[in-house]
Amino acid sequence: MTVLAHKADTVTRDALAVLQPGFEGTTAPAWLLRSVAEGLTAVGLFGRNIASPEQLAALTAQLRAERDDVLVAIDEEGGDVTRLEVRSGSSFPGNLALGAVDDTALTREVARELGRRLAECGVNLNWAPSADVNSNPDNPVIGVRSFGADTGLAARHTAAYVEGLQAAGVAACTKHFPGHGDTNVDSHHALPRIDVDLDTLQARELVPFRAAIEAGTKAVMSAHILVPALDPTRPATLSPQILTGLLRKELGYEGLIVTDGMEMNAIAGTYGIERGSVLAVAAGADAICVGGGLADEATVLRLRDALVAAVREGALPEERLAEAAARVRALAEWTCGARPDARPEGSRASGIGLEAARRAVAVTGTAGPLTEAPYVATLAPVANFAVGDETPWGVAAELAALMPGTASGVYPEGVSAADVLAAAGGRTVVAVVRDAHRHPWMAEVLDALVAARADTVVVEMGLPQSPPRGRLYIATYGASPVCGRAAAEILTGA
């Protein structure tokens, strides 16, 4: 092999190494296995790839038959965002519930147990936790995925989550740098913008990331957001000032930098995924996440070839690509050598999620439990892409299990209180909502229900806002089944 051919082969392998693609199906397609054999070092999993823990373990074993150090990544935050339990809902409450409890030992234990379950299935990189300070209550994409609006609280629980997850041998990927909490736009659809000064960023957004770095997070995920105080022209994922200047040099972070999904419209709709990927690596990113929407061999080849061409044309320094690939391989090597901590004696592993959900619930009102089977009316907003609309949520199933005869209905925007009351047929209405403060139609229906029936109960499974409505107002700080179970126990006095 000539020197030039060897160099070209090295660049091609490095270009494959920095990609974290997704795929379709519950077994690895031939093209993916071939790519792993040729140098692809990481693979991303989504809900479509998972049917059961046993199937997932077989899938990851299939990948490791080609390369024993392959990184298998997943977006498993727990709570509202789950891929491992996409069809049933998570066994754990999410970050907001853990922040509401504010027990860092509990957060650490929940993250460790979640990590243990991932590790048992062969997953070794988790795109979590969210370190975003949810300072904007109208944020459409973070919300309950954040530990809260208090900077100190978000920081200490981010660190605890990182420590717990990595104690299980699973690398944490703290996101979304430099902070997605103060946005009112979902970057899946458009480019959000945060207009705050440097002092605010340092005192608020960056504090949890500093805590995560101090806790040893193995990866950090960039956000597709424009922060003019840091870079007036490019979003964080494509910004040398933010990824190299701020994250690397100022904060001293030495681990892997992963991009958020490149097919999200904030990047794909403005730069395109090929140019965006080249700019991201040039700016300091080490790994390109893609596959939530584009999940085929053609996408992998397009991105590989775009990176190789950029090196050949001088738009991307070969040394920068090699450095990025080396960081990916270093993390893969760490996961091979990671030795999970022994589970503490007397661990509450099997029930830790429900325990955390029970501790998080807040109740306003003094009314006693229900004495007759109610009618559960779930006022359902359109789910954001991160959460997905295929994962069940609410209180109806959990309440019916404790109180047979409970009836229920799901209502989208356009429903009236009269519709709900007619369906209830005289039963007490349990109105279940998710971020009612962000949906005027939901608040309108709640007000009308309470005015018509003083015994109406309200369960808020998103971000609670005042004033509370109903004879009983239950805030669960999340919508996973364990949060629903905790609310159902209060409603029935179980």
Side-chain angles (χ1 to χ4, degrees):
M1 179 182 291
T2 67
V3 173
L4 286 177
H6 177 73
K7 179 178 179 180
D9 184 60
T10 298
V11 172
T12 299
R13 291 184 67 83
D14 285 348
L16 275 175
V18 303
L19 302 180
Q20 291 189 355
F23 60 96
E24 299 284 349
T26 53
T27 58
W31 69 263
L32 183 65
L33 295 175
R34 184 169 59 253
S35 296
V36 170
E38 292 172 354
L40 186 70
T41 311
V43 173
L45 298 179
F46 298 85
R48 61 176 180 253
N49 304 122
I50 300 169
S52 69
E54 295 76 21
Q55 168 270 324
L56 179 54
L59 169 58
T60 58
Q62 188 185 13
L63 292 167
R64 291 201 170 89
E66 296 293 336
R67 181 186 182 119
D68 59 4
D69 67 343
V70 67
L71 286 169
V72 181
I74 199 168
D75 192 1
E76 184 62 40
E77 299 177 15
D80 290 25
V81 179
T82 178
R83 310 298 179 234
L84 196 61
E85 299 179 275
V86 67
R87 291 168 182 80
S88 60
S90 180
S91 301
F92 303 92
N95 286 1
L96 191 66
L98 295 172
V101 178
D102 196 12
D103 179 346
T104 53
L106 177 67
T107 295
R108 193 175 293 109
E109 190 171 353
V110 165
R112 191 198 179 287
E113 178 58 20
L114 188 151
R116 185 190 66 79
R117 297 188 190 186
L118 291 174
E120 284 182 346
C121 296
V123 177
N124 53 13
L125 171 59
N126 191 9
W127 294 319
S130 167
D132 307 297
V133 179
N134 198 60
S135 54
N136 184 348
D138 291 329
N139 194 314
V141 71
I142 302 300
V144 297
R145 301 168 65 198
S146 165
F147 289 110
D150 180 88
T151 299
L153 180 143
R156 59 181 174 268
H157 286 277
T158 295
Y161 196 106
V162 167
E163 292 163 355
L165 192 63
Q166 294 185 171
V170 175
C173 183
T174 305
K175 60 188 183 186
H176 305 80
F177 187 82
H180 209 313
D182 193 18
T183 62
N184 58 10
V185 172
D186 184 344
S187 50
H188 291 92
H189 305 302
L191 179 62
R193 177 185 176 110
I194 296 183
D195 286 303
V196 297
D197 57 31
L198 284 173
D199 289 343
T200 301
L201 289 168
Q202 291 285 357
R204 188 179 66 186
E205 270 74 16
L206 297 181
V207 174
F209 289 98
R210 290 181 186 274
I213 292 168
E214 188 173 338
T217 186
K218 294 296 179 181
V220 168
M221 179 177 282
S222 67
H224 302 330
I225 57 175
L226 189 67
V227 188
L230 298 173
D231 187 330
T233 59
R234 287 188 178 177
T237 294
L238 312 183
S239 170
Q241 294 97 309
I242 294 175
L243 298 189
T244 299
L246 177 59
L247 184 53
R248 289 279 183 226
K249 294 180 179 178
E250 184 177 332
L251 301 188
Y253 177 64
E254 298 178 352
L256 190 75
I257 299 177
V258 183
T259 72
D260 207 344
M262 295 302 285
E263 67 268 59
M264 292 164 63
N265 208 45
I267 298 296
T270 52
Y271 294 86
I273 64 167
E274 292 96 335
R275 181 174 176 237
S277 296
V278 170
L279 291 173
V281 176
D286 305 304
I288 301 296
C289 175
V290 66
L294 299 172
D296 54 16
E297 182 180 16
T299 299
V300 173
L301 296 178
R302 283 166 57 198
L303 296 184
R304 181 202 67 184
D305 292 349
L307 291 166
V308 171
V311 170
R312 185 168 57 245
E313 295 162 5
L316 173 63
E318 183 180 346
E319 297 77 13
R320 171 78 274 272
L321 180 62
E323 176 189 50
R327 281 206 182 91
V328 175
R329 295 176 186 129
L331 181 57
E333 184 178 351
W334 176 86
T335 62
C336 288
R339 294 291 178 267
D341 293 349
R343 179 181 282 153
E345 190 172 341
S347 170
R348 305 159 290 176
S350 62
I352 189 65
L354 180 55
E355 177 189 332
R358 285 169 174 159
R359 290 178 62 185
V361 171
V363 180
T364 303
T366 57
L370 299 168
T371 56
E372 295 180 354
Y375 182 79
V376 180
T378 302
L379 308 185
V382 175
N384 68 57
F385 185 87
V387 173
D389 57 9
E390 70 270 44
T391 304
W393 67 279
V395 173
E398 286 71 24
L399 190 53
L402 295 178
M403 184 169 274
T406 295
S408 62
V410 177
Y411 299 90
E413 184 174 1
V415 67
S416 69
D419 296 330
V420 174
L421 292 170
R427 297 180 185 222
T428 295
V429 174
V430 176
V432 183
V433 295
R434 207 172 186 176
D435 289 344
H437 69 284
R438 290 199 305 110
H439 303 283
W441 69 271
M442 219 179 270
E444 183 179 333
V445 172
L446 287 182
D447 288 341
L449 284 173
V450 172
R453 289 287 302 262
D455 62 345
T456 298
V457 173
V458 176
V459 180
E460 171 60 82
M461 306 195 82
L463 219 62
Q465 297 288 307
S466 58
R469 299 172 173 87
R471 75 174 180 92
L472 202 62
Y473 179 89
I474 300 173
T476 61
Y477 300 92
S480 67
V482 287
C483 296
R485 170 75 188 201
E489 288 175 350
I490 290 171
L491 287 169
T492 60

